[in-house]
Amino acid sequence: MMRSACLLVALVASVRADDSTVTLSNGVVMPMAAAGTWQYNASEAEASVAAALEAGFRHIDTANDYGNQDGVSRGLAAGAAATGLKRDDIFITTKVPGCGVQGVDSKDCQGSTAQFLDDNIELLGSAYPDFGGYADLVLLHFPPCTKGIEGEMTWCNTHRQEACSECDNIKAQWTAMLDAYAAGKYKAIGVSNYCDVCLACLDGVATFPMVNQIQLHVGMGKDPQGMVAMNAKLGIVTQAWSPLGSGGHGSDDILSGNLTTGIAAAHNVSTAQVALKYLVDKGAAIVTKSSNPEHLAEDVDLWSWDLTADEIAALDDDSAAAGDAPSFECDNQASLALAV
């Protein structure tokens, strides 16, 4: 079954495969199954969020650079009204761009990031009266990129590792995150596309990132560049973007390949469910993008059936996407040791 989907996955060794939540390092409990809103306009986001809550999702994911948070707010209000859900029943994740990109001022990384964090809260609460003035999780969407053309990260994509050399800017953005966290605007804070070199810039901070979102999906191997193991050692929950492959659009190998198609047929489920179940069995929290109620219902149905040991082993061994990198701005350095 071909579907356009962008998923986030959280991996921690301590999470049980049959558990529907993951506990972050500060004790915040995050639902494993979440609905994303990447590439939706405001109206599409509104419809998908409301449909997701009605389908049983309790975690909604968005980002400042998605440009749809007003729609997400309307969808939260509509979905909560339709289901009777209270604010505490819904987990909301958002993201802020790296300094120098998409409007975050490279000349004032801390102050500009602080403004973006406030803007997120304002937009997410704009149409949802029960929002409460806080989001559950916020991530720095990617490392800073203050070289090349202001507002773009093309230069840093080409010159990998350069973003992680901007330690002062990384620290400035994290200081803004810590301030917003201390003020109760966000219940948890984290990063995305951060390799060990980037994380080393935060070594010794009072509160370390609780989440790190990287590319991770079937076909990349068990632990590309050792990032999952690194995050676990540091007490960070690993989140994967594009766990269905092809940059979040869903790869043919995953959604219609022989391996996943055969497993799906054996369990009378979709190939997307196979890929998601594989991650859930590893203690993964997922965010699936869909506005189709049928697909949403499938994506939340991950605990009523089980993969066999042989199927899990086959998925573990799949190397169809071995060339995909966990981060688009850097690579992990195996020899680097953090003292967190």
Side-chain angles (χ1 to χ4, degrees):
M1 181 186 303
M2 287 297 296
R3 290 165 49 184
S4 175
C6 177
L7 304 166
L8 303 174
V9 184
L11 293 179
V12 289
S14 62
V15 181
R16 298 192 307 274
D18 62 346
D19 198 350
S20 62
T21 62
V22 55
T23 301
L24 306 183
S25 62
N26 67 342
V28 167
V29 177
M30 182 173 74
M32 294 180 72
T37 58
W38 178 61
Q39 290 191 325
Y40 286 150
N41 62 32
S43 296
E44 292 167 336
E46 176 182 356
S48 69
V49 168
L53 292 176
E54 292 186 50
F57 284 87
R58 298 296 178 261
H59 183 173
I60 302 299
D61 178 272
T62 185
N64 185 276
D65 52 290
Y66 294 173
N68 60 18
Q69 290 172 314
D70 54 340
V72 169
S73 184
R74 294 193 297 272
L76 288 167
T83 58
L85 291 172
K86 298 179 180 179
R87 174 63 181 92
D88 289 346
D89 298 323
I90 305 172
F91 192 100
I92 302 170
T93 294
T94 188
K95 311 175 195 75
V96 171
C99 186
V101 181
Q102 297 169 343
V104 181
D105 189 356
S106 62
K107 298 179 180 62
D108 183 15
C109 290
Q110 182 175 339
S112 189
T113 300
Q115 184 60 58
F116 269 65
L117 289 164
D118 286 344
D119 290 347
N120 272 264
I121 297 299
E122 182 177 354
L123 286 167
L124 288 170
S126 61
Y128 181 27
D130 294 333
F131 179 60
Y134 75 94
D136 298 274
L137 173 65
V138 63
L139 307 176
L140 291 175
H141 211 161
F142 35 81
C145 183
T146 61
K147 299 179 181 179
I149 300 174
E150 179 74 18
E152 298 183 3
M153 52 187 169
T154 305
W155 192 93
C156 289
N157 295 162
T158 304
H159 300 79
R160 297 172 65 81
Q161 302 295 123
E162 289 297 326
C164 291
S165 71
E166 299 188 24
C167 268
D168 287 347
N169 292 331
I170 288 173
K171 291 176 181 177
Q173 286 207 277
W174 192 248
T175 297
M177 297 277 279
L178 289 172
D179 289 344
Y181 176 56
K185 298 174 183 178
Y186 297 94
K187 300 299 183 183
I189 52 178
V191 296
S192 178
N193 292 295
Y194 269 49
C195 305
D196 52 6
V197 183
C198 294
L199 289 170
C201 294
L202 299 176
D203 208 8
V205 296
T207 302
F208 207 62
M210 300 159 193
V211 172
N212 185 14
Q213 180 188 143
I214 59 173
Q215 179 171 212
L216 189 68
H217 54 75
V218 171
M220 290 179 66
K222 287 185 177 182
D223 188 4
Q225 296 187 16
M227 280 200 173
V228 174
M230 174 199 72
N231 287 336
K233 182 178 180 180
L234 297 172
I236 301 172
V237 171
T238 300
Q239 289 189 312
W241 54 267
S242 183
L244 291 188
S246 291
H249 298 282
S251 74
D252 290 343
D253 284 320
I254 292 176
L255 296 180
S256 59
N258 291 335
L259 175 60
T260 51
T261 297
I263 295 173
H267 297 278
N268 194 29
V269 298
S270 71
T271 52
Q273 282 176 283
V274 170
L276 299 180
K277 179 63 175 177
Y278 168 72
L279 296 167
V280 167
D281 279 353
K282 290 180 176 291
I286 60 169
V287 180
T288 178
K289 177 192 170 186
S290 180
S291 58
N292 184 311
E294 180 181 348
H295 291 165
L296 289 168
E298 290 173 353
D299 292 344
V300 81
D301 178 18
L302 301 174
W303 290 274
S304 66
W305 57 284
D306 294 297
L307 294 168
T308 67
D310 287 344
E311 290 166 343
I312 293 172
L315 292 166
D316 278 338
D317 292 339
D318 187 1
S319 60
D324 288 355
S327 170
F328 51 73
E329 286 198 18
C330 60
D331 294 300
N332 240 16
Q333 307 298 303
S335 61
L336 184 65
L338 280 71
V340 175

